[in-house]
Amino acid sequence: MESLAQLELCQRLYKLHFQLLLLFQSYCKLIGQVHEVSSMPELLNMSRELSDLKKHLKEATAAIAADPVYAEGAWSEPTFTSTEAAIQSMLECLKNNELGKALRQIRECRSLWPNDIFGSSSDDEVQTLLNIYFRHQTLGQTGTYALVGSNQSLTEICTKLMELNMEIRDMIRRAQSYRVLAAFLPDSSVSGTSL
């Protein structure tokens, strides 16, 4: 009885995984269509600019993590009087390529204004800075978009999901065949009868 419940659970897991695969494939198609639309002249594509900024911010994050001077709490007390002043300061840091300073400022602002525009301590600092930068660069504009990430990684993920889905399906089929075989095997506890 327990093995039947486990088999049913595996089948449901397979169905759920297959739905996830379909959802991810739909997402990949959507991203592909956005890339096609990006060639339209009335749209402004900020993808390259934001991808470069993300790369540099990740490098700055790694440099800060490796330097004990920038250990948690090693910077001075927050000096911002408002969120607007903090955003302007961060934008200036990003424009002047002072990325380490921008990352420290986002941490300061999170301690001053938790769960505000700066996010919480569990949110990705780089993504928050990218969101702030993009929002500021596109104020009052329409038709601006940015895709940060690569199609290569999406293709790899999709391939791995499909491979995993095939493995799960094969395991379920084997488990079902074992169940069928077990149903037709003679019970070893029953002694042989003679005629």
Side-chain angles (χ1 to χ4, degrees):
M1 189 65 162
E2 185 178 312
S3 63
L4 290 176
Q6 288 176 344
L7 183 60
E8 184 178 340
L9 182 63
C10 288
Q11 289 171 334
R12 290 177 188 238
L13 177 64
Y14 172 75
K15 289 176 183 177
L16 179 65
H17 188 271
F18 187 72
Q19 289 174 347
L20 175 64
L21 177 63
L22 292 175
L23 177 65
F24 189 76
Q25 287 175 336
S26 296
Y27 173 74
C28 290
K29 287 178 185 175
L30 174 66
I31 296 297
Q33 289 177 347
V34 170
H35 279 292
E36 286 178 24
V37 169
S38 68
S39 62
M40 298 175 73
E42 57 271 358
L43 296 176
L44 175 62
N45 184 354
M46 289 185 63
S47 300
R48 184 175 309 254
E49 181 181 351
L50 283 177
S51 291
D52 291 343
L53 181 59
K54 180 179 183 177
K55 180 181 141 210
H56 296 306
L57 281 168
K58 294 265 185 196
E59 291 169 357
T61 301
I64 288 174
D67 192 346
V69 173
Y70 295 119
E72 195 72 34
W75 56 83
S76 62
E77 287 296 312
T79 57
F80 302 115
T81 56
S82 69
T83 58
E84 292 81 15
I87 290 171
Q88 286 305 315
S89 178
M90 281 180 221
L91 290 170
E92 286 300 315
C93 289
L94 293 173
K95 287 178 186 175
N96 296 329
N97 208 26
E98 298 172 330
L99 305 179
K101 187 175 178 182
L103 288 163
R104 287 189 303 277
Q105 287 179 355
I106 196 97
R107 292 175 187 169
E108 291 176 14
C109 291
R110 285 179 174 178
S111 66
L112 273 177
W113 301 288
N115 300 317
D116 200 355
I117 189 172
F118 308 107
S120 66
S121 59
S122 63
D123 294 334
D124 183 24
E125 297 167 344
V126 171
Q127 189 61 49
T128 303
L129 283 170
L130 289 174
N131 290 343
I132 291 170
Y133 182 78
F134 182 76
R135 207 172 298 146
H136 176 73
Q137 294 296 99
T138 59
L139 280 177
Q141 295 180 5
T142 57
T144 305
Y145 72 95
L147 294 173
V148 181
S150 69
N151 281 340
Q152 180 66 19
S153 63
L154 293 178
T155 303
E156 290 172 14
I157 292 169
C158 191
T159 301
K160 288 179 182 179
L161 281 173
M162 288 174 64
E163 288 171 1
L164 185 60
N165 202 40
M166 300 279 278
E167 288 177 26
I168 292 172
R169 186 190 67 205
D170 291 342
M171 284 188 278
I172 290 172
R173 284 184 179 161
R174 279 184 288 201
Q176 285 175 332
S177 67
Y178 291 143
R179 187 180 73 186
V180 169
L181 284 175
F184 290 111
L185 288 177
D187 190 354
S188 60
S189 63
V190 176
S191 61
T193 59
S194 61
L195 295 173

